[in-house]
Amino acid sequence: MKNGIVIAGFAGVGKTTLAKKYKNVIDLESSNYRWDNSKIMDIPVEKRKGTIRDSNPDWPNNYMMAIKEAVENYDIVLVWIKPEVLELYEKFEIPYILCYPAKETLAEYEERFKKRGNNETYIRRVIDTYDERFEQFESYPVDKIVLESKQTLEGYLIKNNYKLKKRI
């Protein structure tokens, strides 16, 4: 029985890439739980972000249960960082670490969003609300990983001796 850690990661920190590279890491992309994606399955996940979709009636219970199951099977579980969802982690007694970029790296993150195919609506929403979110993140009484320029979550984890098991 594992007892993996949950990292609530900001957009663009490298959650998806990390999960693709390491078999003991999973990225629980929240949009797969939050929205009914049945009509847009042919559109890549990053391009779906910012589009209008119907809500999934099982949200948020489906996501919280998926996280609880994942910590039993993975060393690192990567999840959504939105403030209202952080409150759900507290309610469902899911301990987590916050991971977000330093303020001075926002231009770098905007470029990351463009390169991965996010639409302009999504990019503007994330960038334009960052200052408010940063203040919220700073106020949470949990452990934090604040990424500096050109740093990714993967780089941070390797530097701090987290055990990552590469996929073959």
Side-chain angles (χ1 to χ4, degrees):
M1 179 186 238
K2 289 190 187 229
N3 193 17
I5 63 167
V6 175
I7 300 176
F10 193 79
V13 298
K15 297 182 301 292
T16 302
T17 300
L18 189 63
K20 286 179 182 176
K21 285 177 76 173
Y22 301 98
K23 62 185 176 183
N24 63 327
V25 178
I26 187 170
D27 178 14
L28 290 180
E29 170 57 54
S30 61
S31 64
N32 294 329
Y33 300 88
R34 174 93 171 101
W35 307 109
D36 175 3
N37 293 303
S38 60
K39 297 175 187 167
I40 57 171
M41 292 304 291
D42 57 325
I43 300 172
V45 171
E46 292 303 331
K47 291 189 184 239
R48 290 181 205 164
K49 293 179 179 178
T51 61
I52 297 172
R53 296 166 274 176
D54 292 331
S55 293
N56 182 332
D58 296 330
W59 173 265
N61 292 336
N62 60 346
Y63 192 50
M64 297 303 123
M65 293 306 110
I67 294 168
K68 286 186 173 206
E69 183 178 309
V71 296
E72 299 297 326
N73 297 300
Y74 294 88
D75 294 319
I76 299 172
V77 179
L78 305 169
V79 298
W80 205 14
I81 196 171
K82 203 165 185 181
E84 57 267 23
V85 178
L86 296 176
E87 293 172 16
L88 290 170
Y89 302 150
E90 300 287 337
K91 178 182 173 185
F92 283 81
E93 299 178 346
I94 298 171
Y96 63 92
I97 299 168
L98 285 173
C99 177
Y100 51 95
K103 281 185 178 187
E104 51 279 355
T105 65
L106 276 187
E108 185 180 319
Y109 277 76
E110 187 169 356
E111 284 306 308
R112 288 184 191 184
F113 301 148
K114 289 176 183 175
K115 285 181 183 174
R116 71 183 194 181
N118 293 128
N119 65 44
E120 192 60 30
T121 301
Y122 174 82
I123 294 170
R124 289 282 39 98
R125 185 174 62 234
V126 172
I127 297 298
D128 294 346
T129 61
Y130 184 78
D131 285 343
E132 178 185 341
R133 286 199 180 172
F134 181 85
E135 297 305 321
Q136 290 172 323
F137 299 153
E138 289 288 298
S139 73
Y140 282 95
V142 298
D143 290 337
K144 298 170 183 77
I145 300 168
V146 182
L147 300 177
E148 301 299 329
S149 180
K150 304 203 183 348
Q151 188 178 30
T152 62
L153 179 55
E154 178 185 22
Y156 174 90
L157 294 173
I158 290 169
K159 181 179 176 184
N160 288 280
N161 300 313
Y162 283 81
K163 302 292 183 228
L164 299 173
K165 299 174 185 171
K166 284 203 174 201
R167 294 189 187 276
I168 298 174

